[in-house]
Structures are given as structure tokens and as C-alpha cells.
Amino acid sequence: MTTVSGTRPVVGVLALQGAVREHVAMLERAGARAVPVRRPAELSEVDGLVLPGGESTTMSRLLETFELLEPLRARIAGGLPAFGSCAGLILLARQVLDGRPDQQQLGGLDVVVRRNAFGRQVDSFEADLPITGVPGGPVRAVFIRAPWVEKAAGGVEVLATVPGPADPDTGPDGPRVARIVAVRQGAVLATAFHPEITGDERLHRLFVGLVREA
Ligand code: GLN
């Protein structure tokens, strides 16, 4: 099963929906050999897996259609390093708030996420975020109908937060709750934002490092 060739680990990108090409390009720049994954046989060949953004309810359905749901759950439970962005974070979470009742979870992250958490007013936004474990200054983070992590268990390391939306009761000048938007639990990494579209491969480098360690 292990297919590490030299020091270039093989990292899959779940290719059911979303920015697959962008993740492949970033992983290659970060020192991995990147391959799209659509079938169980392809999944069994990878040393790590990226779950891109998209629509978590659709991706959940496609995982079932492509017969990837159970094999992927099993590999994640077995310690497969995984990196989820946005919808990928939602899929990896133990529990989803504001999800669809039939949407499936992969597990891997002992967190509760809230879908579309930032609300309509701030549907999409960008921020420069310092991220624990990412050297070289803040990362430009692009949020698109993003979730946040509402609760994280003790074993989950919070890597980044952003100020949440204004509270209607206290208005725009009131206090803002810091919302968790990047986490790591062992070899599982996840961001509420899209790290693949800014040309900055530092988060992919962090992930490829986790894959090498695993
Ligand atoms: N809102 C989407 C969902 O629920 C996630 C958005 C994204 O991946 N950019 O899956």
C-alpha cells in the first residue's frame, strides 16, 4: 500500500467536485506526487488525501455513488493523513450543524462545524491570517460560504481564528467572537477557507510534512 517514491509521497485529491486541479498543482509544488482519486482502488494507493471545497451535501452523495464512503472512512480511521478545505472540513468533522439530515460524515476530526456559518452578509471574504505551524508571515485566506469550527475537543489544535460577524444585539462596534477556521488533529488538517487559489503553497507544505511523518 505504501507508495512513497523517494521522498515524494503520493497525495490524492478527492476528485468528485471542486478545485481539484489547483490542489494538484499546489501539492506538486509542495513536494508531493499528486493524483486524482475517484475510485476505491485509487484511494488505496495514496499516502495522504486532500478533500477540496465544493458543496458538502453533494460531495457526501457522490462519495456514496462512487462507493468511496466506507473505504474512505476506514482509511481515515486507520490514520490516513487528510487535509480538508471548506466542504472538506465539513466532511471530516464528527458533527455538522445546519447540515442536511442525510449528509454523511467521514470523521477524523473531533469537532463540531457549522455550515455557511458566516451568514449572508459576509458570504465571501478574504483575510490575512497568521497560522500556527506556517512560517513566513500571514496567509491570505479566501472564505467562500465558509463553515467555522464551533466546538473542538481537547485533542484538536486550533491553528487560526478570525473575528466572527457582528452580533445583531451589540451592532458593528460590539465585541466579536473569535471563530476557529484552521485546525489540526494528528495527521488531519483542515481549513474553513480555500488555500489552493492564492498561489501560496505553505499550507500544502505543512500537510505534505504531516504525510511524510505518518
Ligand atoms: N457551503 C459549502 C458546504 O456546505 C462549503 C463551501 C465551500 O466549500 N466553499 O459544503
Side-chain angles (χ1 to χ4, degrees), residues 9-201:
V10 179
V11 177
V13 180
L14 185 65
L16 304 178
Q17 197 196 32
V20 176
R21 254 184 317 145
E22 289 82 350
H23 277 292
V24 166
M26 300 299 263
L27 286 165
E28 292 277 339
R29 275 167 54 179
R33 190 157 78 71
V35 293
V37 168
R38 263 184 224 92
R39 297 180 317 164
E42 292 162 342
L43 177 64
S44 65
E45 297 292 311
V46 300
D47 304 310
L49 185 71
V50 168
L51 298 99
E55 179 52 53
S56 57
T57 53
T58 306
M59 288 170 75
S60 161
R61 225 171 352 92
L62 291 171
L63 281 169
E64 291 182 277
T65 306
F66 282 72
E67 297 181 346
L68 277 169
L69 182 64
E70 289 311 329
L72 187 47
R73 271 184 180 150
R75 280 221 65 190
I76 289 171
L80 178 73
F83 178 13
S85 70
C86 204
L89 158 65
I90 297 172
L91 288 169
L92 289 168
R94 174 175 61 77
Q95 192 193 336
V96 183
L97 306 175
D98 296 336
R100 272 178 43 157
D102 60 345
Q103 118 173 62
Q104 304 283 343
Q105 300 311 119
L106 294 168
L109 276 178
D110 198 359
V111 300
V112 179
V113 296
R114 187 175 292 281
R115 267 181 82 215
N116 304 328
F118 289 92
R120 285 197 171 273
Q121 294 303 314
V122 280
D123 216 340
S124 297
F125 64 100
E126 299 187 16
D128 291 311
L129 296 184
I131 299 178
T132 303
V134 176
V139 168
R140 187 80 180 158
V142 180
F143 295 82
I144 304 166
R145 283 190 298 286
W148 66 45
V149 173
E150 191 140 319
K151 273 189 230 158
V156 178
E157 188 186 1
V158 174
L159 305 182
T161 62
V162 292
D167 182 330
D169 292 338
T170 50
D173 298 325
R176 311 243 176 151
V177 177
R179 295 298 182 180
I180 300 167
V181 292
V183 291
R184 177 189 162 186
Q185 183 172 15
V188 180
L189 179 68
T191 62
F193 53 87
H194 288 260
E196 76 283 6
I197 53 182
T198 54
D200 179 346
E201 79 276 9

